[in-house]
Every structure is written in structure tokens, then in C-alpha cells.
Amino acid sequence: MSADTQVDTIKNYIAEPDNFINGFPHTVFDELRKESPISWSEWSGGTGFWSLTNYEDIGFVGSNPKIFSSATENGGHRIFEEQLAGVASTGINNDTVVGAPFISRDAPLQADQRVPVMRSVSSTRLADMKDRIRQRVIKLLDTAMASEKVELVEQVSATIPIKTLAELMDIPESMEDKLYEWTNALIGEDDPEFRRSPEYMANIAKEISEYFLGLRAQRSGSDRADVVTMLSTDRNGKEVPAEDFVANIFLVLVGGNETTRNSITGGILGFTQFPEQWDLLKKSPELLPNAVNEIVRWVSPVMHMRRTLLEDYTLNGTAMKKGDKVLLWYPSANRDESIWENPHAFDISRPITKHRGFGAGAHICVGSRLAELQISIFLEELLNRSDSFALDGPVSRIRSNFICGIKSLPLAVQWKTSRG
């Protein structure tokens, strides 16, 4: 097969998981943005869809829920039909009833259930958590310094958000391994290492449901500020149905882990590919906020979200029909040449911009500030300890069209002999 034929095949079946096994196929999406920024694609898993590839179109669709729905009854927020496949494609079974998370709701239900989570990651709460996050990062990095060989995901980047998530949920450290297993299973529907069988996934869903419904019952009526308690009632104080509570727990487990974990890992990969940027950050640490912003833009840890048209609509000359499925490709938006000069370069000196790495509109990532805080603390503490680092083996990625995830990032690190 020629290179041109292979590219055309990918365009026609853009969402097949194997297209992403070596990372997001930016070359293909560069062509789509230039030639056909709104294009139709087939999908082996179900009905085809419209692909949106540029910054402005994705922002418009994400910000107009009265035309472009996220509601589970219309298909939900993922490429598959959520009302048929279940949340995170976990399947529909009678043992564990899972409803719809607030990311798969339209107004007003979406805001009713989202607002309590926003309160649990308020600026006051983040300020209170900051020192504890730093102490955990320090401990992880100091342990990693025992060797110049570091497996970043296993030793550092996966653990940081898991420990933060455990604090947010107010659950014991002994549950952190379970949290890690659960989150991997939830995001790994196309990766046989993470989702071993339908039976395994059914058991995972049952474990999550039983554990968190038990916590909800224990904490019912309390004035606690943990996420589990906050998800139990909506912003009006009305009890959230048990099945929707469980669905929102699924959402928090994924959102509270994957964005931070893969931004940290992907950001370090960016520094290995553009090592002059680490030198620049060492010389100009005041660029740290820019570096955090650039990491999320360049990595784009969530690759797509889905909307469904509630009416016929023509977007920039493309006529779409009521019921059509639309995929918003965030990594493509974040490499849009009309927004960023030399967009494929990893450049921490760029001005801070409103990228699409956390989505757009009412469904923008509720924990984005917490993710940025963890990335920032990690970079600060790594700056204090490492002069340089480089890849020390192959990068292993999650097989997924949804999460731009890295399972293994082996590094050779030159640690500082003294700090400060």
C-alpha cells in the first residue's frame, strides 16, 4: 500500500484505534484541516460521523449545546452510542446499573450535577491541597533519584494524580492500587492489557459501584466536602439517583487521573524531543505557567468528544442532518496553523492561550486548574533535581482513539548533585 493510499484509508476510517497506536496521526489531520476541515468518516464500530478538525469550529460546536447535544439519550459524549454500550463502553448488565454522568447531560441537568464538583476543586480547596501535593511529588522524585534509569509512568506520573484523587475522595492510601486499576480499565476499552474481557469489566464496574455506594451511604447527611459526598446531591440539594451517582464516579475516576497523568508524561516526552526547551526552563523558571499551558496544548490528553445534532445545521458550508454524530478532535484544534505559528513545535515561550486541551464550552474540564497545579508542582520539583533527561527505550502507548495515553516512558536522567 502506498503512503498516499494509507493516508486516504485513515481519513476514511479516522477513528479506528490502531490509527493512534503510535500517537495522534497529526500528518493526516494537517491535511484534513487544509483540504476538508469538516469531513465525513466511517467507523467499524457503528455509524459514521463528521470530523471537526479546526480550532474555531470545535469551539463553536462545543459552546452550542442547543444544536449539538451531549445527552446520553442522543448518544452521549463518546463515539459509541452510550445508551446502548453503557458509560465508558462498560456494557449494560443487570448486576451494576450505571446511569449517565453529567458530561453526558445537557442543561439544566449538566450544571445541576457539575456545580458540586466545581466546589470540591475550588481555588480555596486547591490552595489547601497545594503543600500536600508538593510533599507527595517530592517523595516520589526523591525515591526515583536512587537510579539514573527511571520509568516515569510507573514511578511518578501515574502516582501523582492517583494520590490526589484519593485525597479528593477522602479514601485511604490502601485503596490507591485499586483506583489505578479501575481508571485503567475505564479508559482502556480498546486496549486488551487494560480491559481483559467483558467479564473482567463487569466485575470492575461492580467493584466501583459497591465501594462508592457504600461510602455514599456512610457519609449521607454529613457536611463533608469530599467529592464522593458532593456528588451525592445536586446543586439544589436534591439527591442524585444512585445510577447517575455511579456514572459520575466513573467520570471523576477518569477525569481526575488521565488528564494529569498523560499531560505530565507527554510533556516530558516533549522535552526529550525538544531538549532546548528544558534548558530554557532551567534558565527562565518564570516561564513555568507558559510551560504548563504548552504541555496541555501539545499533548492534548483527551483526543475527542462527541456531539449529536438536534436539528439540521450548516456549519461553514457543510450541511449536516439532525441525528448526525460529530466528533471534536482536540489535538487537531491544538495544532491549528491559523492560531499557532509552527504549531507542531513544543515551545514553552509561547504566550498563554486558550487551547482546546481541556475541551470547550459548558463541558470544559472541571478539574483543569487542579491538573495545571499538579503539572506545575511536578515541573518545579523536577527542575530542582534534574539537569537533563533523555529517552532510554521505546514509548508504549495505550491503544485508544479517546485518550492520548502513554503506558511506559523509560528515561535516562542526569540528577543534580546539589539543589538550589
Side-chain angles (χ1 to χ4, degrees):
M1 183 184 295
S2 69
D4 288 343
T5 301
Q6 186 176 21
V7 167
D8 287 340
T9 300
I10 293 174
K11 287 179 182 176
N12 292 332
Y13 287 87
I14 197 73
E16 303 306 307
D18 285 340
N19 292 338
F20 304 86
I21 199 68
N22 294 313
F24 193 81
H26 282 291
T27 300
V28 175
F29 278 87
D30 289 349
E31 291 189 17
L32 286 174
R33 279 196 310 278
K34 182 179 179 181
E35 300 169 2
S36 184
I38 303 174
S39 61
W40 183 261
S41 180
E42 301 296 337
W43 180 47
S44 65
T47 57
F49 56 88
W50 295 103
S51 277
L52 270 59
T53 60
N54 71 35
Y55 181 90
E56 294 296 343
D57 287 345
I58 286 173
F60 176 81
V61 169
S63 301
N64 283 275
K66 291 184 178 180
I67 303 171
F68 302 94
S69 172
S70 300
T72 191
E73 60 267 24
N74 298 317
H77 72 285
R78 294 288 307 281
I79 188 172
F80 48 79
E81 304 306 311
E82 196 171 270
Q83 73 274 34
L84 301 176
V87 178
S89 193
T90 54
I92 304 295
N93 65 74
N94 295 323
D95 294 327
T96 305
V97 179
V98 181
F102 60 77
I103 198 173
S104 294
R105 298 288 194 188
D106 292 333
L109 277 175
Q110 183 261 351
D112 286 347
Q113 294 183 17
R114 175 186 166 97
V115 167
V117 181
M118 293 173 64
R119 294 170 183 156
S120 71
V121 289
S122 67
S123 57
T124 301
R125 183 74 191 277
L126 297 191
D128 176 63
M129 294 176 68
K130 184 176 181 179
D131 285 344
R132 291 188 295 277
I133 293 172
R134 185 177 302 279
Q135 290 306 311
R136 293 193 287 261
V137 171
I138 286 172
K139 184 176 180 179
L140 289 168
L141 287 175
D142 284 352
T143 300
M145 288 180 71
S147 172
E148 293 181 352
K149 305 291 187 180
V150 175
E151 205 305 292
L152 186 72
V153 178
E154 179 184 343
Q155 293 180 249
V156 183
S157 63
T159 307
I160 292 171
I162 286 292
K163 288 183 174 295
T164 301
L165 192 57
E167 178 177 354
L168 281 172
M169 293 180 148
D170 194 12
I171 60 179
E173 186 176 351
S174 60
M175 285 299 297
E176 289 175 4
D177 287 345
K178 268 296 175 187
L179 285 180
Y180 185 61
E181 180 188 6
W182 290 341
T183 56
N184 283 342
L186 288 172
I187 59 95
E189 65 251 22
D190 294 310
D191 191 312
E193 181 182 348
F194 284 171
R195 191 170 293 193
R196 303 164 199 166
S197 68
E199 295 76 20
Y200 171 76
M201 195 60 233
N203 187 61
I204 289 289
K206 184 178 181 182
E207 285 183 356
I208 296 171
S209 178
E210 290 179 350
Y211 181 76
F212 285 102
L213 285 173
L215 287 185
R216 174 166 127 147
Q218 292 172 20
R219 299 173 184 181
S220 177
S222 73
D223 59 356
R224 299 166 64 116
D226 62 89
V227 171
V228 177
T229 302
M230 300 294 270
L231 284 173
S232 298
T233 55
D234 67 17
R235 65 174 169 179
N236 303 309
K238 182 181 177 182
E239 185 174 280
V240 172
E243 59 270 23
D244 288 351
F245 166 80
V246 172
N248 285 329
I249 288 292
F250 280 21
L251 176 62
V252 169
L253 288 174
V254 172
N257 178 30
E258 293 303 324
T259 300
T260 303
R261 164 184 168 180
N262 291 306
S263 291
I264 289 174
T265 310
I268 292 301
L269 179 62
F271 281 117
T272 67
Q273 294 178 6
F274 297 84
E276 76 283 354
Q277 296 300 303
W278 187 250
D279 294 335
L280 176 59
L281 190 58
K282 288 192 296 182
K283 184 174 72 173
S284 303
E286 69 275 9
L287 287 174
L288 187 63
N290 305 66
V292 173
N293 185 263
E294 177 69 350
I295 282 172
V296 181
R297 180 198 75 87
W298 194 80
V299 174
S300 295
V302 175
M303 290 191 279
H304 80 258
M305 288 289 175
R306 173 251 184 100
R307 301 291 186 268
T308 303
L309 278 101
L310 297 178
E311 60 186 60
D312 292 354
Y313 192 82
T314 298
L315 179 62
N316 288 335
T318 299
M320 297 180 283
K321 297 293 185 181
K322 179 181 178 179
D324 281 358
K325 182 164 50 177
V326 180
L327 259 61
L328 287 60
W329 292 103
Y330 298 131
S332 180
N334 282 338
R335 303 291 178 98
D336 190 329
E337 300 85 351
S338 70
I339 306 298
W340 290 277
E341 184 178 353
N342 194 14
H344 293 300
F346 180 68
D347 181 0
I348 67 166
S349 66
R350 294 185 196 274
I352 292 176
T353 54
K354 189 177 180 180
H355 55 66
R356 302 297 189 210
F358 290 126
H363 290 285
I364 198 164
C365 177
V366 70
S368 59
R369 296 295 171 260
L370 177 58
E372 290 172 337
L373 176 63
Q374 292 175 91
I375 298 164
S376 179
I377 290 172
F378 166 76
L379 290 176
E380 286 180 44
E381 295 302 331
L382 188 62
L383 280 171
N384 287 336
R385 289 163 175 78
S386 175
D387 285 320
S388 64
F389 44 84
L391 275 179
D392 193 42
V395 178
S396 174
R397 293 183 179 271
I398 299 170
R399 184 179 182 271
S400 175
N401 62 16
F402 180 56
I403 295 292
C404 188
I406 295 175
K407 292 194 280 191
S408 176
L409 190 74
L411 298 175
V413 183
Q414 181 179 346
W415 299 108
K416 291 182 178 181
T417 54
S418 61
R419 301 176 198 169

